[in-house]
Amino acid sequence: MSNGTFLYPNVTSLPTQTGESSSPLEKKRTDGVPTEFDRVFDKAISEKSVVEKSDLNQIRAPLRFSAHASQRLKDRKIAIDPMTMGKINDAVDRAESKGVQDTLILTPDAALIVNVTNRTVVTALDRKAAAGNIFTNIDGAVVI
């Protein structure tokens, strides 16, 4: 624009040239009167239920299945119950802690090849079909 005017999307007011705001909300904050948000925020900070930084390290990405692995599970009628899924997630976490990038995870019913870096199951075989096979391009194995 030639007159020096800029458009800012989703902005309801702009600060004046002196740096003061014409927004009534900002005036309340500078007056020292806490807003409702300030009260709720202060309460949340003081409570023990606030997530600490150390707790954030325990949050892990979910395990995904590639289209190929999903098709193999369906074709081979391999069912993974929630308890086994939890064990598989733990196995991926253990492999990751050891620096493994691609791992073979053996469950009682299946053999899964997992890319640990992407947390993605690449392929799956039932345990009987896995017997006698040679697994390549892996750098670790976890038996659960």
Side-chain angles (χ1 to χ4, degrees):
M1 301 188 166
S2 61
N3 64 1
T5 305
F6 295 100
L7 297 176
Y8 296 96
N10 301 324
V11 176
T12 56
S13 65
L14 295 174
T16 60
Q17 293 293 351
T18 61
E20 295 176 10
S21 173
S22 59
S23 170
L25 293 176
E26 288 192 28
K27 286 182 182 175
K28 286 182 187 175
R29 289 184 200 147
T30 58
D31 291 343
V33 178
T35 63
E36 181 65 24
F37 173 80
D38 294 328
R39 287 190 292 274
V40 171
F41 183 75
D42 290 340
K43 181 180 176 185
I45 292 294
S46 65
E47 290 179 356
K48 292 180 181 179
S49 65
V50 175
V51 175
E52 296 178 16
K53 287 183 182 180
S54 62
D55 293 339
L56 294 176
N57 294 331
Q58 296 174 0
I59 299 173
R60 60 184 179 206
L63 192 62
R64 299 182 316 226
F65 289 81
S66 69
H68 175 77
S70 296
Q71 189 63 42
R72 293 285 185 246
L73 289 169
K74 182 180 172 187
D75 291 346
R76 296 171 177 163
K77 297 179 176 80
I78 302 170
I80 300 175
D81 60 67
M83 186 169 55
T84 304
M85 193 64 195
K87 290 179 181 179
I88 294 169
N89 272 312
D90 291 340
V92 172
D93 291 340
R94 289 194 321 248
E96 184 177 35
S97 72
K98 296 291 185 180
V100 175
Q101 294 179 4
D102 293 293
T103 187
L104 168 67
I105 298 179
L106 293 173
T107 70
D109 300 322
L112 308 169
I113 301 291
V114 180
N115 180 288
V116 176
T117 308
N118 298 331
R119 296 190 68 85
T120 303
V121 177
V122 178
T123 193
L125 298 113
D126 61 54
R127 194 65 189 260
K128 290 178 185 174
N133 278 340
I134 297 173
F135 295 93
T136 60
N137 299 328
I138 61 170
D139 54 350
V142 182
V143 179
I144 56 173

